[in-house]
């Protein structure tokens, strides 16, 4: 098959050890032709380019800034992505006939691009639903669903419905995601019911986050060296949060949790990340100068994996206001390093349920600081090695690129490679 992968991520290299490059390499290993369309934000000051790398064709399209910018520029740039991607595809891929189009959210505004390729090439389409927008923006108070201000919400909701409509299959991160989409989208539910009656399977299914399995755990000796290099205490239980520091993560509550533990002489908290709320975290760290909290805005990728592995527990935070079931991909990096996981989230997501029921960590709601303290105490006194090994086994059984590949292509096996 000729596979087209659409993403607004940067996708620097097909060899990167990240979720989408890992998945595309899986397609290459099975003999498919892989074409990627990704973004280069204006701040990079580089033009659109088309490169071939280790069997993959990568089209990097210059777009406006959608990260590390204000909400107005992000909104305008997001709306314009569709037009820019279409123009680039028509120029560089005009003679390529695609069999399968794969596209993760965000954004939902690529529906026009998907629809164009589907009609032009009679291609199959597969949505990897990683973000339920615009409802997540409503949950966080960034949009409203009524009054004159709801025009923005209605515009994006219309785009969301169109994206579902042009998608032959919708792969969700977890069962809670499947249930949410079916409950809140009657058109999807009707199509799913009809498909099940005709073929025994619906149009919506679980296609979880995935990774090419590599054991990123390190030896005790190397862990000591890493801790020394980054001024991490050798005798504390180290809790690491790595990833985006934005509104979805409920940073205000995270800071309350950290503040409650500032005198805990058994625990140390390492925060590694950037985002719109990084400044808030930096101001807190600078103000209180807590001896058991450290903040790093950025650590090189190859070093970051070692830093994670040198810690004891990985943390996930999500804003308690969410009604949509997020399932953070950073879970995979913790499991790869054989770390237990502490999830501090809303009740809509089932990530905490998965962690607890499968014995590789703890969960508490992201609205009660006292509950967070109890989980910290449990983690400090637990057999973390055994719990981490349980997580590593769950990773191998559930989150591999091989499994996601098989789920995506099972309805396309009859399509011959062109």
């Amino acid at each position: 098959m000729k596979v087209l992968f659409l993403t607004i991520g940067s996708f620097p290299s097909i060899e990167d050890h990240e979720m989408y490059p890992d998945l595309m390499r899986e397609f290459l290993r099975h003999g498919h032709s892989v074409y990627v369309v990704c973004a280069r934000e204006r701040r990079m000051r580089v033009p659109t380019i088309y490169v071939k790398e280790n069997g993959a064709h990568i089209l990097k399209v210059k777009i406006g800034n959608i990260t590390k910018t204000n909400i107005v520029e992000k909104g305008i740039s997001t709306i314009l992505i569709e037009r820019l991607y279409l123009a680039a595809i028509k120029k560089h891929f005009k003679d390529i006939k695609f069999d399968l189009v794969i596209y993760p959210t965000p954004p939902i505004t690529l529906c026009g691009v998907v629809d164009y390729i589907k009609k032009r090439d009679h291609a199959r389409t597969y949505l990897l639903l990683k973000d339920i927008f615009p409802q997540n923006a409503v949950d966080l108070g960034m949009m409203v669903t009524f009054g004159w201000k709801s025009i923005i919400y209605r515009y994006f909701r219309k785009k969301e419905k169109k994206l579902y409509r042009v998608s032959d299959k919708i792969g969700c991160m977890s069962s809670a995601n499947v249930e949410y989409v079916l409950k809140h989208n009657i058109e999807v539910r009707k199509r799913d019911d009809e498909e099940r009656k005709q073929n025994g399977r619906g149009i919506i299914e679980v296609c979880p986050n995935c990774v090419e399995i590599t054991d990123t755990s390190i030896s005790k000796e190397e862990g000591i060296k890493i801790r020394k290099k980054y001024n991490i205490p050798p005798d504390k239980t180290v809790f690491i949060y790595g990833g985006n520091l934005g509104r979805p993560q409920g940073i205000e509550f995270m800071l309350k949790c950290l503040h409650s533990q500032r005198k805990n002489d058994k625990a140390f908290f390492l925060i590694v990340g950037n985002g719109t709320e990084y400044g808030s975290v930096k101001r807190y760290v600078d103000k209180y100068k807590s001896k058991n909290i450290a903040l790093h805005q950025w650590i090189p990728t190859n070093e970051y994996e070692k830093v994670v592995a040198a810690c004891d527990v990985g943390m996930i935070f999500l804003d308690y206001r969410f009604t949509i079931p997020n399932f953070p991909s950073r879970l995979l990096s913790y499991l790869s390093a054989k770390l237990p996981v502490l999830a501090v989230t809303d009740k809509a997501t089932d990530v905490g349920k998965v962690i607890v029921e499968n014995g590789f960590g703890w969960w508490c709601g992201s609205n009660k600081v006292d509950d967070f303290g109890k989980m910290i105490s449990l983690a400090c006194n637990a057999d973390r090695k055994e719990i981490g090994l349980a997580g590593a086994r769950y990773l191998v059984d559930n989150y591999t690129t091989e499994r996601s590949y098989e789920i995506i292509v099972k309805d396309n096996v009859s399509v011959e490679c062109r």
Side-chain angles (χ1 to χ4, degrees), residues 12-13 36 49 60 119 135 140 145 162 167 200 205 233 238 242 277 286 308 333 341 375 378 409 417:
S13 169
V36 176
I49 62 168
K60 303 181 179 183
K119 290 176 179 176
Q135 184 57 45
L140 298 179
T145 59
K162 181 178 180 181
S167 300
E205 61 193 357
V238 181
E277 303 303 306
D286 291 343
V308 171
S333 63
V341 183
M375 295 303 106
L378 283 175
V409 302
C417 296

Side-chain angles (χ1 to χ4, degrees), residues 185-197:
N185 296 275
I186 188 170
E187 300 91 347
V188 175
R189 188 170 69 247
K190 286 181 177 179
R191 285 178 57 206
D192 189 72
D193 289 342
E194 291 172 0
E195 188 73 15
R196 289 184 187 281
K197 289 178 182 178

Side-chain angles (χ1 to χ4, degrees), residues 147-387:
W148 67 270
K149 290 184 179 180
S150 67
I151 187 172
I152 300 174
Y153 166 80
R154 294 198 304 271
Y155 169 81
F156 284 115
R157 178 60 169 149
K158 185 177 180 180
K159 285 284 188 181
E160 180 190 16
K161 289 183 177 182
K162 181 178 180 181
L163 186 66
Y164 294 156
R165 190 165 60 249
V166 302
S167 300
D168 293 316
K169 287 283 184 177
I170 301 173
C172 295
M173 296 180 289
S174 70
S175 298
N177 280 256
V178 171
E179 293 169 5
Y180 182 92
V181 175
L182 291 175
K183 180 179 179 181
H184 295 275
N185 296 275
I186 188 170
E187 300 91 347
V188 175
R189 188 170 69 247
K190 286 181 177 179
R191 285 178 57 206
D192 189 72
D193 289 342
E194 291 172 0
E195 188 73 15
R196 289 184 187 281
K197 289 178 182 178
Q198 293 179 10
N199 302 309
R201 293 179 47 251
I203 66 164
I204 188 166
E205 61 193 357
V206 175
C207 184
N209 294 331
C210 63
V211 67
E212 184 178 1
I213 300 298
T214 55
D215 184 354
T216 60
S217 62
I218 58 178
S219 66
K220 183 177 181 180
E221 292 73 23
E222 190 172 5
I224 292 173
K225 291 180 182 178
I226 291 293
R227 287 198 181 197
K228 184 176 181 180
K229 180 177 180 178
Y230 287 93
N231 296 315
I232 302 171
D235 57 344
K236 308 290 186 184
T237 301
V238 181
F239 295 79
I240 182 170
Y241 173 87
N244 186 49
L245 295 172
R247 293 181 69 176
Q249 286 70 45
I251 300 303
E252 183 179 349
F253 180 77
M254 177 195 287
L255 292 178
K256 290 179 180 179
C257 290
L258 295 178
H259 194 68
S260 72
Q261 297 296 310
R262 68 191 184 281
K263 295 181 180 180
N264 187 335
D265 59 3
K266 293 183 179 180
F268 185 88
F269 299 91
L270 176 63
I271 312 299
V272 183
N274 200 357
T276 58
E277 303 303 306
Y278 172 82
S280 298
V281 182
K282 181 71 163 56
R283 285 190 293 273
Y284 173 85
V285 172
D286 291 343
K287 179 179 179 180
Y288 290 100
K289 295 180 171 46
S290 300
K291 293 182 179 180
N292 69 341
I293 300 174
L295 172 66
H296 291 270
Q297 189 171 18
W298 179 78
I299 292 177
T301 302
N302 60 330
E303 280 278 292
Y304 174 72
E305 287 188 351
K306 293 180 180 179
V307 171
V308 171
C311 297
D312 297 298
V313 179
M315 294 192 298
I316 291 172
F317 278 87
L318 287 172
D319 194 293
Y320 195 75
R321 292 173 291 174
F322 275 125
T323 63
I324 61 167
N326 294 291
F327 206 97
S329 60
R330 70 178 54 89
L331 172 69
L332 305 185
S333 63
Y334 298 151
L335 299 185
S336 295
K338 299 180 181 177
L339 260 60
V341 183
L342 169 57
V344 187
T345 74
D346 54 273
K347 289 186 177 181
T349 178
D350 53 352
V351 65
K353 179 181 179 181
V354 169
I355 290 170
V356 173
E357 289 187 352
N358 292 282
F360 57 90
W362 308 269
W363 173 86
C364 67
S366 52
N367 63 337
K368 293 182 180 180
V369 174
D370 289 346
D371 288 351
F372 176 80
K374 293 175 183 177
M375 295 303 106
I376 294 298
S377 179
L378 283 175
C380 285
N381 295 289
D383 182 353
R384 294 185 299 274
K385 182 177 181 179
E386 186 58 37
I387 296 172

